[in-house]
Structure formats: structure tokens, C-alpha cells
Amino acid sequence: MIELEDLVKHFGDVRAVDGITLTVPRGEFFCVLGPNAAGKTTTIKMMVGLIRPTSGSARVAGFDLQSQPLEARARLSYVPDFPFLYDKLTPWEFIRFTGQLFRMPEDRIRTEAEELIPRFSLEPWLHKPIEGLSHGTRQRVAIASALLHRPEAFVIDEPMVGLDPHHARIVKDLLRERSRQGMTIFLSTHQIEVAEEMADRVGIIHQGRLMAVGTPEELRRRAGVDGALEQAFLALTRPLDPPGAGTAMAPTGGVP
Amino acid sequence: MTGTFPSPLRLLVGTAVRSMCRRVVSLRDQSWLLLALITAFLSGYAVLAFALFYGGLRFIGRFPGLGGLLVERLLFLLFACLFGLLLISNLIVSYTNLFRNRETAFLLTLPVPRRVVFQWKLAESTVIASWAFLFLIAPLLVAYGLVHQVAWHFYPMVLLMIGLFIGLPGILGCWLAVQVARFMDRRTFQVALVLGVSLLVAVLVLRFRPTMVTEESLETARVLNVIDRLLDNTRFAQFPLLPSYWLSSSVQNWGEGVVRAALFFFCVLLSHVLFFGMIAVLWLGDAFYEASSVVHSRGSLLARWDWFRRREERQRRSSDPIARLSRPVLLETLLAWRGILAPDVRALIVKDFRVFWRDTTQWGQAFMLFGLLTVYIVNLRHFTRQLDSPFWISLVSYLNLGACSLNLATLTTRFVFPQFSLEGKRVWVVGLAPIGLVSLVRLKFWLTSWTTLGVTLGLILLSCSMLGLDAAHTLFFAAVIVVMTFTLNAIAVGLGALYPNFRETNPAKIVSGFGGTFCLVLSFLYIVGSVVLLALGSPWGWRPESVGEFRPYHALASGTAFLAISLLSGAVPLRMGLRRVAATEL
């Protein structure tokens, strides 16, 4: 469903993403972990077509984000860590607007919204201006809007930021449920416990490279540690030596 | 199937219209005082501008034999300059709207064609960059219509022509923004801008040399020669390929009832708007996406320079990089001299200077405002050679005082007023530091006052020097600008503390609230009141026949009144602001 092929991105002299190859099949819940400035957000930006890769390609549902952007984006939803919402609209107006942009018929918008709105407890806020909502409520509006058209691939960056434990649970349950129904989920987070709980597979990005991919158990084995996934993460993301120093850990990028 | 769904562009326009309507409706919740102030200011501008244009056009039109020609040339010149300004305005607004806008990034992740995203942003940028243009020139066109007693259909037709005209700088500005984003990083753009401005200044200096007029040259037979030389400098505005030429010709011809010629120029304008509009709308979408990707993929600008890379490398290899980085900069060393300033005070001053220096908007606007004033003041020397009347020199010196203070008021309202609100947002850093918020506000007042004083005092001394004023005049104006600088800063700092907005991170939005508007209005009233009071009570007289007489009692009375107004306007808001800060619960 999501295919990244030898994805490279340069920011001037800096190689922010360094040859990532990855395939996330239909219905998989994939979590990506990595330290700050590892290249996770840049990878996501290429994956949703916000920026052009320096080389390599990103495809969603078989459509290349650069050569067939409309087809790819019609099957995709992206929720960034601080999503954009129109402040002067109400949540209902925003949800409907998003549905219309995805060419959903009005009755389908209503049916889908009727399912999502109660799950995210948005009823009290539905007709109030978004500018007056708390960060957590805005986040719920953004996620509900993004799920409205039942995307085939759902890309989300730090979904739990600003959510209370109750709504964090609802988001996790809903994503799990959708994943079981066939939606591919690509979630980027710093919360290792979220990845451990939710993911079918976890990928670890470090210094622009995909260091390891596998189930939490496989990652532990690979890192040679027992216990929490955090230990495996720390072991796999030890600072690399600068390029050319000759002692860098061999990358495993490309393991699907 | 396609036909059953609204087009994305229609949806976006609908959303924007709905948002704008909500903004208008939400004015009901705003302070009535703010609304009254804004309405009074806008109406005041419209009435005053109309009166000035009407009087000016009638005055110029009365010149025997030349009136019509002068009015015509002025219109060509005005529209040519406005075209240039609109182009710059569109370039800046389009760049921000296309490449620094969260809505654009949001839309690029949706199944909305890039072409449509670009079309929407083009329309939005053109409206944002040009609405003030309509507001500025409306009084002029009404005055022009009344002076020339035009037919009723002149007004709607002119509105249509202007609506078309703003399209061209909109399209061109957007195209330029895409090219700038695609091919220039910030550093290259800044260098190109400085080179471009320098080139423009050089061309202007070479082209527009002052024309010396002697008694001999003003004889009837030769005066036409002099006027011809003067008008020659404005001939560029009549270059037939300029869109402003088409607009001016169309407006003037329609006003004179020459409909056929007016329609010809209208059609020229229309065809260009349609042609370039079509190109932009159909083909610039992909170029925009390409540029957007480039903008968001740029690395460190400094890292492109070898010396910077070498320095970084040295610092990385250094055994103690922290010690290297923590060496005090020159400003810190100067401030630490003799330990007069406490370390926390020094840290805040250095921080404020760094923030100012690294914010291109702040120093760019300050540089532009005071730079233009400096150019004007330096050029006064050409006029004073011809102005031997002490009355005019005295009048110009007071006007310079007003211009300098108004520039300062613009800057204090735009940059000093929101500072407390912005500090409040960073409460965990400064608000909770041992220095305390009250001391912080006081420090901001002294810091901004002393810093701006260097500029305002310098400009006033330059103005006095260019006007050839004696030491007594110079001392008088220097003392006045010192008082006014401290007062204007006190107004901005005091009202900034009195009407804080801790929710907003954008200083421009903080300024647009009640406190910012009040600050601007109060500063404006204070400046107008002070300059008028000082000019009327000038120790050197203010009527043409009384200039030169020394009038100590007038001077004493107006000076005392000026000091009282300054104290009242500055100290009261500052004191109230400090009290409010002391009681603030962050």
C-alpha cells in the first residue's frame, strides 16, 4: 500500500533521508520511531507529496506521489503534529469541507460523521468556532476529518499530543479497528509504548537511515536486549560516527 | 459524477467568504471604542484626502495654459508609482502566502490539483496586497471626477478599470515570487535586493538632478523651457507599454468624454490581464509546487560558505566547544563595562538586540522608514538654496519634526507595543526570572527610548544642518525630539503592558487589537498636538510677517504646555502599565 523506494532527500549539504526503502502492506499498522532530527518528518513529507524527493520514489496504493499526485492523495490522509484548521469555521463545517474536497456525497459525509463525531465526543463543540477550541479538541477534529473518507493509507505524526488519556484510548482503538478493516496506518511517534502497544511492525529511523524494521520482538532480538522496547530503541540509535570515519553501524535499510 | 461535486476552487472561495463574514460579524463582540476609533480614522482619512486632492487638483488646474498638462502628468506619475508599489506588495504577499502559509501546506496534502491551489493563492494574494490601493486612490478619483465634472458612469467604469489593473501586478508579483523562491535562497535574495536598491538609487540620483532656477530663467519666454526640463524627468510614466499608462489614459479619456480612446486603452488592459492571467492560471501550478518543494528543502544558508564550514569544523574539533561559544560578543563586553549593568539586565538587552537583528521584518521596516526620511532630509539642501524665506525654512523644520516623530510612532506601535505581550507568552523564561516583570517593563522602556533616540536625534540634527539653522534652533529641536522620543516610547510600553494579549504569537495581530490601535491614535494625536503647539508658540514667530521676532513669553507658554502634554501622554500610560504588570497573574 505504501512503498518507499530508495528515498533520498538533501537539505543543502545535509542528507536528511538517506536511501529509505520500505513497503507497508495493506492493513498493516506501522510505527516509525527515531530520535529528534532523524528524518521521520521529512520522510512523511515526501510520502504525502509535500516535498519532492532528491531521488527515489514514494507510492501510495500504486500511485506515485510525484507523477500521479491526485490519485495518490485521494487514497491518503495525513494529520501532522500541529494540524491546520480554519479558525473561523466550526468543526462540522470543517469536517464537511474536507469530505467535499474528497468528493464524498453529502449523505456519505453525514453517515461517516455520525459514526466519528460521537466517538471523538465532538457533539458539544460541533457548531462552535474552531478558534475557541482547546488543542486536544482541535486534534480530535483533525483526526475525525482525516478519517472521514475512509482513506486506504493514513499517515499521522504524533497523534497523542494534546489528547487526554480517554481520547488517546479512543484514537488507538479506532485506528486499530480501521487497520483491521484494511486501512494502512503509518504512525510517527516518540512514545515508544504507543508503538509497542499498537504496531504490527516498527521501523527505527536514525540519521536519515532506516536502521531496523520488524515486530517489537524482532527488534529486541536484533538489538540483543530483553524487556521494554525502549532498550532496543536506545541500542539501535546510538550516535553514528560521521560518514567516512569507518566505524558506523551497518545500516539495514530496505528490510520490508 | 464529476458534475455533482462542487469544484475545489469554489469550495475554497466559499470557505474564505464564510470566514470573512464571520470576522465581520465578530466585530459585534469587539470594543465599541475600538470600532469607533477605527471608523473615525478611516472616515477622517477619506475626508482629509478628498479635501487635499480636490484643493490640489483645482489649484494645479488653474495654472494658465499648463494646468491640464500638469494634472495629466501627475496622474500618469501617480499610477506608475502605485504600479511599482503594488508589484512589490504582491511579491511579498504572494511569497508569504505561497511558501510560508499553513493553509497552502494543508491543501497540498489533499486531492486538490496544484494548479487549483495556486489559483486560489493567486487570487487571495492579489486581494490582500491590493485592497488598500483602492482605499488610497478612491478620494483622488472622486476629487478628479468632481473637478472635471464627469458623467455619472465615470465612477463605475473607473472601478472596473482599477479592478482589472490590480490583476496585472498581482499576476506578475505571484510569478516573481515563484521565481524568487525557486532560484534564490534568503541570502541570495538579500544580496540581490541590496544590489537592486543600490542600482535604483544610483539611477535616481543620476537621472533626477535638481534643476537650478534663476530669476533670469523665470522670465516668461524661458519659463516653458524650465518646466519642460522638469517634466522631462516624469516622462518615464508615459511609457506606452506600462500598464499604468493604459489605466491613466483610460481614466482621463473617459473623464473627458472621449469614450472611444478610453475603450481602446481599457481593451488593451483587459487583453493583457486575460492573456497573462490565463498563462498564470493554467501553467504556473507546477512551477509553484516545484518552488515550494525547493523552499522546504533548503539547507543552512551559512553552510554554503567555506569560512562558515571551516569554523564549524574547528568548533567541533575543539576540546572545549562550549567555552568557545560562550565567549562574550562585542555588545556584551561593552555592556559589562565597569559592571554598571547587572548581569540579568545585560542578558535581556543582548537578547532584545539579537531578536531585533535576526528579525528581518523589524530592521527592514525600521531601515526603510528612517532611510526614506534620511534621503528626503539630505535632499533638503537643494531646496534651501532656493528657499531664502525664513518662514518656509521654519515651516519645513517643524514639518520635519512631525515626520520624524510619526515615523517613530509607527515603529513604536508596530514593534515596542507588542513586546510585553510576547514576553508574557515566554513567561517561563523571563516572567519567572528574579528580575521581575515590573523591572522588565521599565528596562524595555529605557532600552527602546535610548536606542530610538540615537536615530531620531541624528535625523533632527541632520535636518537642522540641511536647513542651515543656527545653534539656538538646533538646540531647541534637539530638546523637543528627546522629549517626544521618550514620550512615544512610554506610550507604547505603557499601553503594551496595559492591554496585553498573551494568546497571540504574531506581533502584527497583537498590534491590530484595541491596545495597538489606541497606541497609534494616542501617539498621532500627541504628535499633531505637540507640533502644532510648538509651531504656534515658536520663539521665532510663525506668521510670515512675524518670523524673526524673538518672542520669549510665547515660547515659555508653549514649551510648558508641550512638557505638560508630554508628561501626561507618556507618564500616565507608563505608570498605569507598570501597576497593571505588578498585579498581573500570569
Side-chain angles (χ1 to χ4, degrees):
Chain A
M1 177 56 60
I2 297 175
E3 295 158 277
L4 309 179
E5 202 175 307
D6 200 16
L7 210 56
V8 173
K9 184 68 190 175
H10 290 181
F11 290 144
D13 285 348
V14 178
R15 220 172 151 88
V17 174
D18 193 1
I20 290 183
T21 297
L22 173 73
T23 301
V24 184
R26 183 173 183 275
E28 182 171 83
F29 200 126
F30 188 87
C31 276
V32 61
L33 298 172
N36 292 328
K40 302 187 296 293
T41 303
T42 307
T43 306
I44 287 179
K45 280 182 176 175
M46 289 188 281
M47 199 189 291
V48 299
L50 264 178
I51 54 176
R52 228 183 247 290
T54 307
S55 64
S57 66
R59 280 190 299 275
V60 169
F63 296 102
D64 187 282
L65 260 300
Q66 294 305 319
S67 56
Q68 297 157 295
L70 289 184
E71 290 83 352
R73 284 189 214 140
R75 289 157 177 84
L76 179 77
S77 252
Y78 168 50
V79 182
D81 45 356
F82 290 96
F84 171 84
L85 300 169
Y86 292 91
D87 277 352
K88 292 288 172 191
L89 297 191
T90 62
W92 168 243
E93 285 167 343
F94 182 75
I95 289 170
R96 188 163 165 257
F97 167 75
T98 316
Q100 287 173 325
L101 280 180
F102 277 93
R103 302 186 154 236
M104 292 171 69
E106 287 293 332
D107 53 346
R108 206 184 133 211
I109 292 177
R110 264 197 308 279
T111 318
E112 294 292 339
E114 273 164 14
E115 184 206 330
L116 290 165
I117 287 167
R119 287 194 79 162
F120 284 105
S121 321
L122 286 173
E123 299 98 324
W125 319 107
L126 220 45
H127 301 294
K128 296 194 169 148
I130 288 173
E131 64 187 343
L133 305 184
S134 69
H135 178 66
T137 313
R138 292 167 75 106
Q139 184 79 356
R140 282 183 273 148
V141 173
I143 296 174
S145 310
L147 289 171
L148 189 77
H149 70 285
R150 292 192 173 263
E152 291 173 45
F154 186 67
V155 181
I156 186 162
D157 201 352
E158 290 296 353
M160 306 306 163
V161 172
L163 291 183
D164 59 54
H166 172 69
H167 288 105
R169 185 72 262 160
I170 288 170
V171 169
K172 287 178 194 170
D173 291 346
L174 186 60
L175 293 185
R176 233 334 93 261
E177 199 179 298
R178 290 281 173 104
S179 165
R180 269 188 231 113
Q181 290 166 6
M183 184 172 83
T184 306
I185 298 173
F186 190 99
L187 184 149
S188 164
T189 183
H190 285 296
Q191 292 173 285
I192 298 174
E193 66 281 3
V194 171
E196 192 160 19
E197 178 193 343
M198 306 293 297
D200 297 320
R201 281 194 308 153
V202 175
I204 294 179
I205 295 182
H206 184 39
Q207 296 190 347
R209 298 177 208 169
L210 190 61
M211 303 302 297
V213 182
T215 61
E217 194 46 50
E218 283 167 352
L219 291 182
R220 277 190 208 98
R221 270 206 305 276
R222 179 173 162 72
V225 295
D226 290 327
L229 183 61
E230 186 186 17
Q231 297 302 319
F233 173 77
L234 293 174
L236 289 166
T237 55
R238 276 196 298 267
L240 294 180
D241 289 332
T247 56
M249 180 189 285
T252 60
V255 182
Chain B
M1 179 103 178
T2 309
T4 56
F5 300 106
S7 77
L9 191 60
R10 217 175 102 191
L11 278 173
L12 289 168
V13 173
T15 304
V17 170
R18 189 176 286 173
S19 295
M20 206 174 70
C21 292
R22 297 260 160 86
R23 274 198 186 94
V24 173
V25 171
S26 71
L27 285 176
R28 284 184 314 196
D29 307 327
Q30 292 277 346
S31 151
W32 283 103
L33 191 56
L34 171 68
L35 287 180
L37 272 175
I38 293 172
T39 312
F41 239 62
L42 293 180
S43 327
Y45 163 77
V47 171
L48 192 68
F50 170 75
L52 282 172
F53 285 130
Y54 187 73
L57 287 173
R58 279 175 56 121
F59 175 74
I60 296 169
R62 277 203 295 266
F63 276 110
L66 281 173
L69 175 71
L70 287 175
V71 170
E72 180 198 290
R73 192 58 66 86
L74 277 175
L75 272 195
F76 277 114
L77 202 59
L78 177 82
F79 284 123
C81 293
L82 285 175
F83 179 75
L85 288 176
L86 272 177
L87 189 59
I88 296 171
S89 168
N90 272 289
L91 167 63
I92 295 168
V93 172
S94 301
Y95 186 92
T96 315
N97 216 9
L98 289 170
F99 306 110
R100 296 269 177 262
N101 183 280
R102 292 184 65 217
E103 188 200 16
T104 311
F106 166 67
L107 294 175
L108 283 175
T109 64
L110 297 176
V112 180
R114 294 159 186 170
R115 185 163 43 91
V116 173
V117 178
F118 178 78
Q119 287 165 4
W120 163 235
K121 287 290 152 185
L122 167 67
E124 195 185 31
S125 307
T126 307
V127 171
I128 294 173
S130 316
W131 71 267
F133 169 76
L134 278 178
F135 182 64
L136 281 174
I137 61 161
L140 167 73
L141 291 169
V142 174
Y144 179 86
L146 288 179
V147 168
H148 288 82
Q149 295 176 332
V150 297
W152 65 269
H153 46 76
F154 170 81
Y155 300 102
M157 196 59 201
V158 161
L159 200 65
L160 187 64
M161 290 169 192
I162 288 171
L164 272 181
F165 173 71
I166 57 174
L168 277 177
I171 295 162
L172 194 56
C174 224
W175 177 79
L176 276 174
V178 169
Q179 302 313 314
V180 165
R182 176 72 184 83
F183 298 107
M184 291 185 181
D185 57 30
R186 201 176 61 177
R187 184 74 48 178
T188 317
F189 178 68
Q190 283 172 347
V191 171
L193 188 69
V194 169
L195 286 177
V197 170
S198 310
L199 190 71
L200 186 69
V201 169
V203 168
L204 291 178
V205 167
L206 289 172
R207 175 123 179 86
F208 298 104
R209 288 173 183 280
T211 301
M212 299 311 292
V213 180
T214 59
E215 287 294 324
E216 192 193 351
S217 63
L218 287 176
E219 285 171 19
T220 321
R222 296 180 182 172
V223 76
L224 287 178
N225 256 340
V226 175
I227 290 173
D228 191 49
R229 260 189 292 149
L230 287 171
L231 289 181
D232 193 43
N233 282 335
T234 64
R235 204 150 283 162
F236 73 92
Q238 286 184 301
F239 183 58
L241 293 182
L242 274 179
S244 57
Y245 175 81
W246 311 327
L247 175 67
S248 309
S249 302
S250 191
V251 167
Q252 292 185 53
N253 279 310
W254 201 281
E256 288 161 12
V258 191
V259 177
R260 186 184 280 262
L263 277 177
F264 169 75
F265 286 109
F266 176 77
C267 289
V268 173
L269 198 58
L270 178 67
S271 58
H272 279 81
V273 172
L274 290 178
F275 177 70
F276 289 108
M278 191 69 83
I279 290 177
V281 159
L282 293 181
W283 289 330
L284 268 184
D286 284 340
F288 147 68
Y289 174 72
E290 187 67 38
S292 170
S293 182
V294 168
V295 166
H296 294 109
S297 308
R298 286 204 173 106
S300 161
L301 295 166
L302 294 170
R304 289 172 41 191
W305 292 347
D306 286 344
W307 66 267
F308 183 81
R309 281 209 297 268
R310 282 199 297 274
R311 201 188 76 163
E312 291 278 285
E313 191 56 35
R314 272 203 308 277
Q315 280 178 356
R316 202 166 52 234
R317 286 184 186 162
S318 161
S319 54
D320 192 355
I322 301 295
R324 264 173 186 276
L325 288 172
S326 56
R327 272 186 205 153
V329 294
L330 180 66
L331 180 64
E332 285 175 284
T333 314
L334 289 174
L335 292 172
W337 185 68
R338 294 202 166 199
I340 296 171
L341 296 173
D344 51 357
V345 172
R346 292 202 306 260
L348 280 168
I349 294 175
V350 171
K351 187 266 296 174
D352 277 352
F353 270 103
R354 279 186 172 143
V355 168
F356 177 76
W357 182 243
R358 288 171 191 175
D359 184 350
T360 318
T361 317
Q362 288 204 35
W363 64 257
Q365 286 189 16
F367 182 75
M368 200 166 69
L369 279 172
F370 284 106
L372 285 173
L373 195 61
T374 309
V375 170
Y376 151 72
I377 287 174
V378 167
N379 272 306
L380 279 175
R381 68 188 190 283
H382 300 305
F383 296 100
T384 46
R385 278 187 211 151
Q386 291 155 39
L387 286 178
D388 46 9
S389 156
F391 167 72
W392 286 108
I393 291 182
S394 175
L395 184 72
V396 172
S397 61
Y398 280 102
L399 287 176
N400 285 355
L401 177 70
C404 187
S405 319
L406 284 171
N407 267 6
L408 177 64
T410 311
L411 289 183
T412 51
T413 305
R414 176 66 182 78
F415 300 120
V416 177
F417 174 83
Q419 283 206 0
F420 178 68
S421 299
L422 294 172
E423 289 296 356
K425 195 86 185 167
R426 300 165 203 135
V427 63
W428 63 278
V429 186
V430 181
L432 299 178
I435 190 168
L437 277 178
V438 174
S439 305
L440 174 83
V441 174
R442 273 205 198 102
L443 177 66
K444 286 211 177 287
F445 166 64
W446 290 113
L447 181 63
T448 53
S449 299
W450 283 109
T451 313
T452 48
L453 184 63
V455 183
T456 51
L457 191 59
L459 279 174
I460 283 297
L461 292 178
L462 185 67
S463 155
C464 292
S465 159
M466 291 294 136
L467 290 168
L469 297 182
D470 58 26
H473 278 83
T474 306
L475 198 65
F476 170 77
F477 282 113
V480 167
I481 199 67
V482 170
V483 175
M484 291 182 85
T485 302
F486 277 90
T487 307
L488 289 171
N489 276 291
I491 291 173
V493 172
L495 292 182
L498 207 54
Y499 298 102
N501 178 354
F502 296 134
R503 289 185 65 184
E504 204 44 77
T505 49
N506 181 353
K509 285 191 177 169
I510 296 172
V511 173
S512 63
F514 173 74
T517 313
F518 186 39
C519 178
L520 190 67
V521 173
L522 185 61
S523 304
F524 179 75
L525 292 178
Y526 165 71
I527 291 167
V528 172
S530 298
V531 173
V532 169
L533 185 72
L534 288 166
L536 291 181
S538 168
W540 303 284
W542 65 278
R543 286 196 180 89
E545 62 275 14
S546 67
V547 168
E549 295 169 18
F550 187 66
R551 305 179 310 162
Y553 296 113
H554 281 81
L556 192 68
S558 79
T560 312
F562 165 67
L563 286 176
I565 291 175
S566 301
L567 201 67
L568 199 70
S569 311
V572 171
L574 186 61
R575 210 175 159 70
M576 287 169 73
L578 287 172
R579 270 196 203 156
R580 163 80 198 251
V581 169
T584 298
E585 290 176 3
L586 286 165

